[in-house]
Amino acid sequence: MYIGELATRTQTSPRLLRYYEEQGLLQAGRDSNGYRLYADDAVHAVETIRCLISTGVPTRLIRLLLPDVEPGGSVLDMTIDPAIRKELEGYRQRLYDRNVLVCASLTAIDDFLERTCTVAT
């Protein structure tokens, strides 16, 4: 199928599909005119990519996870390679640490605003 059909079937823009290809997440062949051609299983691949992106998994880790997803299977049913799992856990920890800093900043700003007076304009 051509990129337009894949975009329609997955409700994804052609531009985003080209980005997935640039990131090594999606493979396309070429026809004699140079147009991208996708296999039928590309629909499932795009749905899997979108699912993982929506959970916050970065594309560099998605690229590692995709080969382990069974065709037509759910990402929740996959077995993750221990090295990839460690990478994902490390990413999760970095997000958690960043969240702790953001929460501390929000608390500090709230305290500051609570203690300061508002100047009438």
Side-chain angles (χ1 to χ4, degrees):
M1 82 187 83
Y2 290 106
I3 195 167
E5 183 181 351
L6 181 59
T8 299
R9 288 177 63 182
T10 60
Q11 298 180 342
T12 305
S13 71
R15 183 176 182 183
L16 191 53
L17 294 174
R18 287 189 291 274
Y19 172 76
Y20 292 163
E21 189 178 343
E22 289 170 9
Q23 296 301 306
L25 305 177
L26 190 61
Q27 274 67 48
R30 299 286 177 159
D31 73 2
S32 59
N33 294 328
Y35 293 119
R36 288 173 170 83
L37 279 176
Y38 296 94
D40 289 337
D41 64 354
V43 171
H44 182 258
V46 170
E47 290 169 349
T48 301
I49 292 164
R50 292 184 68 187
C51 175
L52 291 168
I53 285 175
S54 73
T55 63
V57 178
T59 56
R60 73 175 179 80
L61 291 178
I62 293 173
R63 188 173 39 254
L64 299 174
L65 290 167
L66 280 177
D68 294 329
V69 179
E70 293 291 325
S74 168
V75 293
L76 299 176
D77 296 332
M78 66 187 287
T79 302
I80 300 176
D81 177 274
I84 297 171
R85 182 179 200 85
K86 187 173 181 176
E87 283 266 346
L88 196 52
E89 288 170 346
Y91 180 72
R92 182 194 178 282
Q93 185 61 49
R94 289 189 299 279
L95 285 175
Y96 178 81
D97 294 345
R98 195 175 319 152
N99 185 52
V100 168
L101 291 174
V102 168
C103 288
S105 294
L106 287 170
T107 299
I109 290 170
D110 288 344
D111 289 347
F112 175 75
L113 290 172
E114 189 175 301
R115 292 176 183 203
T116 58
C117 299
T118 303
V119 177
T121 53

